[in-house]
Amino acid sequence: MQYSIRNKNVSGFTLIELMIAIAILAIIMGIAIPSYTRYVLESGRADAKNVLMQTAQTLERCFTRFSAYNDAGCQLSQGDTLMSENDKYQMTVTALGNTTFLLTAVPQDGQANDTDCGNFTLTHTGQKGAAGGTDAAVVEECW
């Protein structure tokens, strides 16, 4: 039995082709990762809005029932803190009076990297705030 070895063209990638493919991948990742990170931060803001709105509704029900936000029969009192559903924000009840309240949601863990919006606030009048202020452009973008 005789074996013959035939000349076959061996195909594959050259080093240059491999380097070009890696460079293209690096460019795509350089665009995709920051976009994805921004998207995750923006979607996490919904957590702050939810906890603030739910707490405001609880306080409004209390006001309807007892004619005061800070009545002893209310579920919430000055300084109470709640974590949002996904633990991205810690909400604190501040400035709680007979006819006023201020709710503040502070970002936690990875959400703290959201420097555009930072803390979210909501008052008894429905005034929304973000990034430590009530600037209309910032509020519009964040809320």
Side-chain angles (χ1 to χ4, degrees):
M1 194 180 229
Q2 188 175 6
Y3 293 100
S4 66
I5 299 176
R6 296 183 187 178
N7 262 346
K8 293 184 179 180
N9 287 340
V10 177
S11 63
F13 292 105
T14 64
L15 183 59
I16 297 295
E17 292 170 332
L18 189 60
M19 294 302 285
I20 290 171
I22 289 173
I24 291 171
L25 264 164
I27 292 169
I28 291 171
M29 294 299 283
I31 294 169
I33 289 174
S35 296
Y36 176 74
T37 302
R38 184 175 44 81
Y39 170 77
V40 168
L41 288 176
E42 287 176 4
S43 67
R45 295 174 189 164
D47 216 21
K49 297 175 210 174
N50 286 338
V51 73
L52 289 172
M53 297 302 270
Q54 288 174 356
T55 306
Q57 287 176 356
T58 300
L59 287 168
E60 290 299 337
R61 284 192 296 272
C62 178
F63 188 81
T64 301
R65 187 168 178 202
F66 301 108
S67 298
Y69 292 117
N70 62 352
D71 191 86
C74 295
Q75 296 175 354
L76 296 168
S77 59
Q78 175 74 18
D80 282 356
T81 60
L82 301 167
M83 287 303 290
S84 62
E85 185 176 342
N86 296 320
D87 295 331
K88 293 187 179 213
Y89 285 86
Q90 181 179 19
M91 194 279 312
T92 305
V93 179
T94 55
L96 187 65
N98 284 336
T99 59
T100 62
F101 68 79
L102 173 64
L103 305 175
T104 305
V106 179
Q108 304 294 304
D109 301 326
Q111 195 66 30
N113 295 329
D114 186 4
T115 56
D116 293 337
C117 293
N119 297 351
F120 282 78
T121 58
L122 182 63
T123 68
H124 63 284
T125 61
Q127 184 177 17
K128 300 170 181 173
T134 56
D135 180 48
V138 174
V139 170
E140 179 70 27
E141 182 181 330
C142 294
W143 277 84

